[in-house]
Amino acid sequence: MAQRVEALREALGVPGATFAIVEDGRTTFARGFGVTDLSAPQAVNADTLFATGSTGKAFTVAALALLVDQGRIGWDDRVIDHMPDFRMWDPWVTREMTVRDLLVHRSGLGLGAGDLLFVPRSDLSREETVRRLRHIRPATSFRSGYAYDNVLYIVAGQLIEAVTGRTWEEFVREDVMRRIGMRRSTASDAQLLAEPNRARPHARLNGAIRGTGDQVPLDERLNVAPNAAPAGGLAISADEMTRWLAVQLARGALPEGERLFSEAASREMWTPVVLQPVAEWPANLAATQPNFSTYALGWDVQDYRGARLVWHGGAVFGSLAAVALLPDRNVGLFIAVNSEEGEMVRGLMYELLDHYLGLPHAGWPEQLRDFKRARTEQAIAALQAPAAAPAEVGPSLPLARYAGDFADPWYGTIGIREAGGRLTVSFPHAFGLSAELEHWQYDTFRTRFDDPNMEPAYVTFQLDADGKVERITMRAVSPLADFSFDYHDLLFTPVAQGGDHAAP
């Protein structure tokens, strides 16, 4: 296996990777590959901390399970009974939202709604982030369907603090991770940045779209968002992840005979709640396509080639991860990379699952690489097609007349300024984030962000009958932009002179 992983890592240009396998309660593999940082190479080992993204949602669920076992909350308690100031857009949804609803992506919010409250970084408190939820319009009716979100896991983290009087970070670190021997794993950006043996994130940013071009290290200080930690802010090594895998497979039991959480809580975690739509894969990948896909409490539960698979992926800027369990085989897997080559993470996960199911080698990483390459080429072609060329029309106004402060109810106020014949825009809580606005066509401009992590966006000014800016909308340029760049959910309107520049 080690030779296969190393050969793939080199072929795909992945700087570093880490793997862990637990079988029947025993660690059978825990190892690192490659380097932590291309700019200052240090070998990855089993103790190197990797960002694990949304695989950490299961830790937030485990923390809640402890409170359920203690009788301090119930899965079907109403959120407002523990957080009286909690509000959603719809008062009825506010009254009916339960702890379980926070965890299963059926709230009615759109895909990734509110993610720009912490992407790419944020100085908003968790409390303020939760308060702004009341201004995010739903996309569908409550409990009518599935749409993945992160913001309600932020609420779950705040609920833990409301019930215990302790921060989510402290509770998860001391009552969950430390109890199972995860002593170096971190629950905050500050803790991770203090660890010398950590994997630095990398990405390809200088090509036509994100994911193409040269692999470069990212500035970790530009991706700090403490408010979002309950949705995916943990960093864990292969060695320490084996303890989590063992506890999950043991349904909450600890090796010493005690329990982290009850067997009843374990059943709740893996019990499907919401159906997820199943995307159709091309013929050569069809064997990996599930017949059913569901979301439970912090876990995806689906079939994989005739077996029950409990798993979750994780993604933050420059890092990807996956945690996968085959409960009926008593096997757990952890895979993480410090780059954005998802074909390695998902492909090797499938390859290892096939191994434990006694299925032949299918070369899933290579097939996923080819699928991703074709998809990327199609996206680039669409952006470069003649039909995508801008019309040589506009702008309608002198640049100075586009300047001003404009507010969105949930996001806050942006500042657009003109100087020296250039327009710039600054963003409030993403400290230091700004972009130049280059004219595209009509009254639409295109961002040139100073942070290469940001997906470019079209910014469209809509004018009233007097030629004044009435509203501003945005949308991502790339058809493959991650859903967390939810520019399309923003609607900025002018801030009256002397008005409140914060989200109300």
Side-chain angles (χ1 to χ4, degrees):
M1 175 183 168
Q3 290 180 335
R4 169 67 168 155
V5 173
E6 182 59 19
L8 271 175
R9 185 192 69 77
E10 292 185 357
L12 297 174
V14 173
T18 195
F19 283 75
I21 301 175
V22 170
E23 302 176 60
D24 297 321
R26 296 182 303 106
T27 299
T28 57
F29 194 88
R31 181 173 167 180
F33 300 84
V35 297
T36 60
D37 183 347
L38 286 177
S39 63
Q42 172 184 322
V44 174
N45 57 38
D47 295 320
T48 302
L49 296 175
F50 276 73
T52 61
S54 287
T55 68
K57 286 180 167 65
F59 282 81
T60 295
V61 171
L64 292 167
L66 301 187
L67 300 179
V68 172
D69 287 343
Q70 295 165 12
R72 300 172 75 177
I73 65 170
W75 296 115
D76 296 309
D77 283 1
R78 299 189 311 167
V79 175
I80 56 170
D81 290 339
H82 299 285
M83 299 172 61
D85 292 334
F86 170 75
R87 297 289 185 275
M88 296 291 284
W89 174 272
D90 186 321
W92 181 80
V93 176
T94 297
R95 291 193 302 271
E96 298 300 317
M97 180 80 71
T98 65
V99 175
R100 190 186 306 275
D101 289 321
L102 295 177
L103 309 174
V104 297
H105 312 299
R106 64 179 182 185
S107 67
L109 292 175
L111 175 64
D115 279 6
L116 286 173
L117 290 172
F118 59 86
V119 171
R121 54 189 175 271
S122 180
D123 59 9
L124 292 177
S125 68
R126 196 164 296 147
E127 182 179 16
E128 173 62 17
T129 304
V130 171
R131 192 186 69 81
R132 295 189 182 200
L133 268 176
R134 67 194 67 193
H135 300 299
I136 302 180
R137 291 176 180 266
T140 63
S141 57
F142 186 45
R143 296 177 183 157
S144 66
Y146 173 87
Y148 192 84
D149 72 76
N150 289 297
V151 290
L152 292 181
Y153 270 81
I154 297 175
V155 178
Q158 194 66 14
L159 186 144
I160 289 170
E161 182 171 345
V163 172
T164 66
R166 300 160 63 195
T167 65
W168 173 88
E169 288 83 353
E170 179 189 353
F171 192 84
V172 167
R173 186 176 61 247
E174 301 300 329
D175 291 43
V176 179
M177 294 194 294
R178 298 297 185 266
R179 283 196 61 198
I180 60 179
M182 300 175 71
R183 304 199 176 280
R184 289 189 57 253
S185 300
T186 65
S188 73
D189 296 309
Q191 292 169 354
L192 177 60
L193 292 173
E195 283 285 343
N197 190 8
R198 68 182 188 276
R200 183 174 177 180
H202 296 73
R204 302 180 189 274
L205 302 173
N206 64 351
I209 60 174
R210 190 185 187 104
T212 61
D214 302 317
Q215 191 83 268
V216 295
L218 302 182
D219 187 342
E220 298 162 285
R221 297 166 300 174
L222 297 181
N223 300 321
V224 175
N227 55 342
L234 303 181
I236 304 172
S237 68
D239 178 67
E240 293 200 343
M241 184 60 86
T242 62
R243 293 159 171 77
W244 175 246
L245 296 174
V247 168
Q248 283 291 330
L249 291 168
R251 313 308 199 271
L254 300 174
E256 305 80 24
E258 298 179 352
R259 300 195 71 87
L260 177 64
F261 48 78
S262 66
E263 193 162 348
S266 177
R267 283 196 300 272
E268 291 279 4
M269 292 174 185
W270 295 355
T271 297
V273 179
V274 180
L275 282 172
Q276 297 187 49
V278 175
E280 188 170 346
W281 286 98
N284 64 314
L285 295 170
T288 67
Q289 182 176 313
N291 293 296
F292 70 89
S293 180
T294 70
Y295 203 86
L297 304 188
W299 292 97
D300 293 285
V301 180
Q302 65 176 74
D303 66 305
Y304 177 81
R305 309 190 77 178
R308 179 173 56 140
L309 173 63
V310 179
W311 83 289
H312 210 292
V316 293
F317 285 137
S319 300
L320 299 174
V323 173
L325 308 170
L326 287 172
D328 302 323
R329 301 295 198 281
N330 208 15
V331 171
L333 315 169
F334 169 59
I335 306 168
V337 297
N338 60 342
S339 65
E340 297 180 351
E341 276 64 38
E343 60 268 37
M344 182 163 178
V345 175
R346 184 72 73 96
L348 279 173
M349 182 182 83
Y350 289 156
E351 207 159 272
L352 286 166
L353 293 174
D354 286 352
H355 168 76
Y356 286 103
L357 296 175
L359 298 169
H361 177 82
W364 296 126
E366 291 84 358
Q367 295 201 55
L368 286 168
R369 175 201 60 200
D370 294 343
F371 171 73
K372 176 182 174 182
R373 181 180 295 157
R375 191 164 171 253
T376 300
E377 289 172 353
Q378 289 173 0
I380 294 172
L383 288 173
Q384 296 176 345
E392 296 181 5
V393 179
S396 302
L397 304 175
L399 293 184
R401 289 181 58 188
Y402 293 100
D405 292 330
F406 301 87
D408 174 87
W410 63 266
Y411 184 79
T413 301
I414 59 173
I416 295 178
R417 301 291 182 265
E418 185 274 335
R422 296 167 56 244
L423 272 185
T424 59
V425 56
S426 60
F427 297 83
H429 51 76
F431 45 93
L433 182 64
S434 63
E436 183 172 351
L437 296 179
E438 296 181 351
H439 182 252
W440 180 248
Q441 62 180 359
Y442 305 110
D443 291 305
T444 294
F445 294 73
R446 179 170 167 159
T447 60
R448 299 292 179 187
F449 283 103
D450 53 8
D451 181 350
N453 258 325
M454 289 296 290
E455 283 282 357
Y458 293 121
V459 180
T460 298
F461 295 80
Q462 298 178 34
L463 311 181
D464 63 16
D466 297 321
K468 296 179 180 178
V469 177
E470 188 173 52
R471 59 176 58 192
I472 299 173
T473 58
M474 298 177 66
R475 69 176 176 89
V477 172
S478 171
L480 298 183
D482 186 89
F483 65 77
S484 286
F485 293 100
D486 54 326
Y487 299 125
H488 50 276
D489 291 333
L490 298 168
L491 178 60
F492 294 100
T493 55
V495 174
Q497 191 171 4
D500 186 359
H501 286 213

